[in-house]
Amino acid sequence: MQVKITFPHAGEYYVVFKDLLSNLGYEVVVPPPTSQKTLDIGIKYSPAQACLPFKITLGNLIEGIEKGANVVGMIGGKTGICRLAYYSEMYQKILADNGYQVELLAVKVKKEFWVNVRKHHPTLTLRQFMKTIRDFWQKLIIFELIRERSLELRPYEINKGDCTRMKQRFLRELEQTSESSRLKALKQEIIKGFDSISIDTKRNVIKLGLVGEFFLLIDQFSTLNMEEFLGNNGVFLKHSLRFSEFFVGSLKQKRFLDNYLPTHNNKVYKLAKKYITRPIGGHARESIGEAIVFKQKGYDGVIHLYPFSCMPEVVAGSIAPKVSSDWGIPILSICMDEHTGQAGFQTRLEAFTDMIKRKKYPSTAVDYKN
Amino acid sequence: MGNGKNNQLLASKVIGIPRGLSYYLDNFSWEAFFEILGYRVEYSEDSSVETFEAGNQFVGSDQCFPVKVYYGHVIALLKKTTTIFIPQYTSLEEGTYCCPKVIGLPQLIKNTIRQEFNLITAEIDLGRSNFTRFNMLLLARQLSWNPFRIFRAVTYFDQNRKGLSPEIPAAEKVVGDGQNQGNNGLIGVVGHPYALQDPLLNMGILNRLREYGFDLVTSEQYPRSGAQTNCPVYFNRRKPHWDFGRNILYAVQSMLQDKNIQGIIFITFFGCGIDAFLEEIFKDHICDQKPYLSLTLDEHSGEAGLMTRIEAFSDMMIRKEGKNRNAG
């Protein structure tokens, strides 16, 4: 049987994961980009109170399976306190109940992954496997560079859309590059390419940090294209959490390091300790800690995003006003679900950014009295 | 933390424990524990609509109903005392967790209620007994300067901890005493302990069912045992790692095998993340075999609507029963 694999979308990260799986010898079926149809499918099959990421990813998977996939790759999961640990079981149950007979493959940095891949491809050697993982890691880092540069430059660009175009171009190039020797050159090209965008550094730009549930931070469909909207409104955005960090986040070794050595996360935990003393699942503790780190780094505000009924982030969202008043940093907590309307959401963001802009640049504020 | 450092705490000598969430899950007597240390424990009154409304202004809108009521209990207690004790339950057996909201509860309360008060807490992780013992020691040190009392209190906790442990079902606290009063049959009621015990949260469903002539078995009468909770179909042979998830799944499984139980009612709350996944897992299995009623409650649940649903369910049960009788 030909093994055809599909996996859920998370922003534009399919570029990287497609490569990883095809290098491991799978035939990859990339599901169609997330759309309202995907969400509708997800809502139809998932429990009513499941979180938004679950609904969207389930929709992705079903669309992928309908295109012919017979194996489902689940990225991350199986550990932790929150519901993410049972995503794969729920996928399996729901898919089986609705007549989609598929196998599940956990894509994660654990021995389990190697064992399962080996089952599908008995000829694969460990050496090849490790090399593929290394290439994947390099690509992931480059992908994040592209994403970050585009977010940093968008508020300054003179020709609207330059950053988006540049990002699309490099993503396409990254998708087509498969040999690892080319990656280094591509990285240089990306740095040069983004430097060549004409920018206006005198603009009144505010810096905002993004914290919250991990999926919402990277997925642009569920946050209604927030990144572009804010970028065009003169907001310099920075994420608290990268995919690469999430990917290795469940490793015992990393958790050990974070607990005892002065890493970035260790600092975050220490700052959050006053508000959340121990991990309560998801990224609740990180959300609180990173908000304070953003303040210390001189950011003007923080946006905290979480899906409706996300258990840990609801706690973080309730504590956020206290953090906000203690540290003097504006925090906007937004709860997203499938009914969030674009106009309402953008109005809230605009009001928030306007408030910060007026505070930061009082001279340039528009006088609405006239 | 230090002994006698907190003068205000020592002066009041009264410790308030809110009657909500974790109050219902343990049989451990905090009264005796604090009495050894020289404190009197005051529990808040039973939940009422007023309790809920008093706390509602502090709660984030997307918290679940039990948490909202819990706030009300804290506010009610603050009128009597300035010291509140909230145990921070993180795990009841090795390898499990409580709900994230319960784990974060003391910090949640401390950081959201804008009022001066002392909050004392201790992290209780029954999978790690030394860690828990150390936390209890810290708690006792906070409250007393007397080393003998501290020692006795910690020893008391250690010896009576079995009351908290998963092997013993929390059957002693089951509401009501009605045994074999009804003649319409036996119904299994499944839910978290607070959902079964707090009449405000479940809107008195248990008593109403008794009025309709049903006998009840609640999921609390089933153990939270680790070894027995093998879920053959559910969750792909993988146990859920939530303590009460295990209890609920185990109870459902046993109720399905029990021929005497004729129907199952599941009580859950809007916004409960654990139940959303659990219900999806066992719903189909129950519906294949027994009448099933799932009630999702929140603060806006109307009584009339609830009554209608329970009546419809009980009518269905009675009619089914009658049919069987005729057939037999």
Side-chain angles (χ1 to χ4, degrees):
Chain A
M1 186 185 76
Q2 175 66 31
V3 180
K4 285 183 178 174
I5 193 164
T6 188
F7 55 89
H9 274 299
E12 280 144 332
Y13 278 84
Y14 73 90
V15 175
V16 192
F17 283 98
K18 187 182 139 197
D19 213 52
L20 167 74
L21 294 168
S22 64
N23 282 349
L24 288 175
Y26 288 100
E27 191 179 321
V28 183
V29 181
V30 180
T34 311
S35 61
Q36 188 58 41
K37 195 186 153 209
T38 316
L39 183 59
D40 288 343
I41 294 175
I43 292 170
K44 189 177 156 197
Y45 291 117
S46 42
Q49 288 183 49
C51 30
L52 186 60
F54 184 81
K55 290 174 180 169
I56 291 179
T57 48
L58 183 68
N60 281 144
L61 293 182
I62 289 177
E63 281 186 324
I65 293 166
E66 275 168 359
K67 271 174 81 180
N70 50 20
V71 175
V72 159
M74 165 70 194
I75 296 155
K78 290 224 173 186
T79 49
I81 305 177
C82 85
R83 280 183 285 179
L84 179 63
Y86 294 98
Y87 268 31
S88 46
E89 271 79 12
M90 292 299 285
Y91 286 149
Q92 229 161 3
K93 165 108 185 4
I94 293 173
L95 290 176
D97 281 358
N98 292 295
Y100 300 104
Q101 288 304 329
V102 288
E103 203 182 316
L104 234 95
L105 175 77
V107 181
K108 57 198 295 189
V109 231
K110 288 261 167 80
K111 198 185 161 195
E112 193 191 341
F113 182 39
W114 156 246
V115 173
N116 285 333
V117 170
R118 190 66 193 267
K119 239 182 260 164
H120 292 140
H121 303 285
T123 53
L124 191 80
T125 61
L126 187 62
R127 200 183 142 83
Q128 276 174 322
F129 179 76
M130 293 312 282
K131 191 178 166 293
T132 317
I133 297 280
R134 200 194 64 201
D135 289 354
F136 156 74
W137 192 253
Q138 276 180 345
K139 266 199 156 182
L140 194 58
I141 301 291
I142 291 180
F143 179 90
E144 272 158 4
L145 177 80
I146 299 176
R147 191 152 165 261
E148 251 162 53
R149 286 300 283 164
S150 72
L151 281 181
E152 281 167 11
L153 289 175
R154 194 173 281 131
Y156 297 104
E157 67 190 6
I158 288 172
N159 304 319
K160 248 191 189 176
D162 266 0
C163 279
T164 313
R165 275 191 291 276
M166 193 68 83
K167 184 177 153 193
Q168 296 301 345
R169 199 190 101 199
F170 283 128
L171 283 186
R172 232 174 295 128
E173 258 175 61
L174 185 69
E175 202 180 341
Q176 284 153 6
T177 317
S178 51
E179 61 270 39
S180 55
S181 52
R182 262 276 296 151
L183 285 177
K184 231 174 196 174
L186 184 66
K187 196 171 176 180
Q188 292 306 319
E189 247 176 72
I190 290 165
I191 293 172
K192 267 184 207 154
F194 273 107
D195 282 345
S196 70
I197 293 177
S198 49
I199 53 169
D200 173 12
T201 48
K202 281 177 194 149
R203 277 189 197 161
N204 294 338
V205 167
I206 57 170
K207 283 165 95 180
L208 292 186
L210 267 181
V211 299
E213 204 273 337
F214 162 73
F215 185 83
L216 291 189
L217 294 190
I218 56 175
D219 188 60
Q220 283 312 293
F221 173 77
S222 50
T223 54
L224 312 161
N225 270 327
M226 185 187 74
E227 279 176 9
E228 233 176 288
F229 174 76
L230 284 178
N232 291 334
N233 272 328
V235 177
F236 175 108
L237 269 182
K238 172 94 177 152
H239 291 90
S240 64
L241 191 75
R242 294 174 178 166
F243 206 116
S244 49
E245 284 165 17
F246 170 78
F247 205 63
V248 294
S250 63
L251 283 183
K252 263 187 200 143
Q253 292 86 339
K254 184 159 187 302
R255 266 186 280 170
F256 179 80
L257 289 179
D258 285 341
N259 280 337
Y260 299 106
L261 293 178
T263 56
H264 174 73
N265 274 358
N266 185 279
K267 189 180 160 197
V268 170
Y269 296 158
K270 268 188 188 160
L271 286 170
K273 187 144 196 180
K274 194 184 156 199
Y275 304 98
I276 293 179
T277 48
R278 52 156 288 131
I280 61 167
H283 291 104
R285 186 161 59 143
E286 283 84 347
S287 292
I288 296 291
E290 295 276 6
I292 302 171
V293 170
F294 276 129
K295 168 71 184 173
Q296 289 181 341
K297 281 185 186 162
Y299 281 73
D300 303 307
V302 170
I303 296 176
H304 175 227
L305 289 172
Y306 61 98
F308 176 74
S309 90
C310 173
M311 298 184 285
E313 295 290 346
V314 164
V315 175
S318 299
I319 295 178
K322 172 87 171 158
V323 180
S324 173
S325 67
D326 281 3
W327 289 82
I329 179 167
I331 299 181
L332 177 70
S333 263
I334 297 189
C335 174
M336 307 287 298
D337 70 358
E338 62 264 31
H339 306 296
T340 309
Q342 191 163 14
F345 179 59
Q346 290 186 348
T347 312
R348 290 184 72 184
L349 290 177
E350 257 174 344
F352 185 66
T353 49
D354 280 356
M355 179 195 79
I356 294 173
K357 263 184 200 163
R358 222 173 284 174
K359 201 169 138 197
K360 194 175 179 188
Y361 305 105
S363 56
T364 56
V366 187
D367 193 356
Y368 287 105
K369 274 178 197 158
N370 299 326
Chain B
M1 287 181 194
N3 34 359
K5 194 178 161 192
N6 211 334
N7 291 328
Q8 203 186 343
L9 196 75
L10 284 167
S12 68
K13 290 283 178 194
V14 178
I15 289 175
I17 298 184
R19 207 183 277 265
L21 295 176
S22 51
Y23 166 81
Y24 293 110
L25 69 86
D26 60 51
N27 294 331
F28 179 73
S29 163
W30 288 110
E31 274 168 0
F33 176 83
F34 286 116
E35 203 183 289
I36 295 172
L37 293 166
Y39 288 81
R40 192 164 57 83
V41 166
E42 184 122 7
Y43 288 103
S44 55
E45 306 278 309
D46 280 336
S47 322
S48 63
V49 181
E50 289 79 42
T51 336
F52 163 68
E53 272 165 7
N56 202 17
Q57 54 167 318
F58 299 106
V59 202
S61 57
D62 37 14
Q63 293 284 9
C64 59
F65 188 34
V67 173
K68 288 182 179 173
V69 174
Y70 197 84
Y71 271 76
H73 284 290
V74 175
I75 299 294
L77 273 177
L78 284 178
K79 283 174 192 154
K80 296 180 197 163
T81 168
T82 54
T83 312
I84 307 280
F85 172 68
I86 300 174
Q88 184 174 20
Y89 281 101
T90 54
S91 167
L92 299 184
E93 88 189 67
E94 205 176 339
T96 65
Y97 298 106
C98 296
C99 156
K101 286 174 194 166
V102 173
I103 298 179
L105 193 63
Q107 282 80 37
L108 186 67
I109 298 285
K110 191 177 149 201
N111 289 308
T112 43
I113 293 187
R114 293 175 295 275
Q115 201 170 327
E116 282 290 309
F117 67 99
N118 284 314
L119 189 135
I120 50 176
T121 176
E123 195 176 326
I124 298 169
D125 182 345
L126 295 180
R128 294 151 71 195
S129 54
N130 282 337
F131 174 75
T132 311
R133 203 174 295 141
F134 180 67
N135 283 333
M136 295 317 290
L137 181 71
L138 288 183
L139 172 72
R141 261 195 74 196
Q142 242 179 318
L143 296 171
S144 173
W145 56 268
N146 188 337
F148 298 106
R149 280 186 168 185
I150 294 173
F151 180 75
R152 265 173 58 213
V154 175
T155 318
Y156 177 81
F157 177 79
D158 237 24
Q159 284 165 351
N160 291 279
R161 209 164 43 96
K162 286 185 212 83
L164 291 166
S165 84
E167 280 88 32
I168 295 174
E172 294 125 52
K173 278 198 179 178
V174 169
V175 235
D177 44 11
Q179 292 285 321
N180 298 323
Q181 286 173 349
N183 41 17
N184 283 330
L186 192 63
I187 293 185
V189 185
V190 185
H192 290 257
Y194 46 80
L196 299 172
Q197 293 186 25
D198 193 330
L200 174 72
L201 291 181
N202 63 26
M203 305 184 79
I205 286 173
L206 300 192
N207 287 331
R208 268 183 203 150
L209 285 172
R210 281 202 194 92
E211 277 167 25
Y212 282 120
F214 291 108
D215 276 337
L216 302 180
V217 177
T218 59
S219 60
E220 275 183 312
Q221 287 159 357
Y222 293 91
R224 299 194 286 270
S225 164
Q228 284 170 294
T229 325
N230 55 340
C231 311
V233 199
Y234 322 137
F235 269 127
N236 253 338
R237 294 174 199 282
R238 215 180 132 205
K239 289 176 198 167
H241 61 199
W242 303 296
D243 289 304
F244 289 100
R246 284 188 184 189
N247 175 232
I248 287 172
L249 283 193
Y250 183 69
V252 166
Q253 202 178 359
S254 315
M255 283 174 182
L256 280 180
Q257 284 160 2
D258 192 340
K259 289 242 165 63
N260 296 323
I261 294 174
Q262 278 141 359
I264 296 177
I265 296 182
F266 181 50
I267 303 175
T268 176
F269 296 100
F270 182 72
C272 179
I274 296 172
D275 287 356
F277 271 28
L278 289 179
E279 195 191 354
E280 180 67 25
I281 291 288
F282 63 63
K283 197 167 69 185
D284 296 349
H285 291 279
I286 303 183
C287 288
D288 287 349
Q289 300 169 36
K290 284 181 180 170
Y292 172 60
L293 174 67
S294 158
L295 294 170
T296 306
L297 304 175
D298 67 1
E299 63 267 36
H300 307 297
S301 304
E303 204 161 329
L306 189 76
M307 292 291 285
T308 314
R309 295 191 61 192
I310 295 177
E311 259 168 43
F313 183 73
S314 75
D315 283 354
M316 180 176 74
M317 295 270 304
I318 292 166
R319 208 166 295 170
K320 192 169 170 245
E321 180 85 338
K323 218 182 200 175
N324 287 346
R325 266 188 212 139
N326 292 342

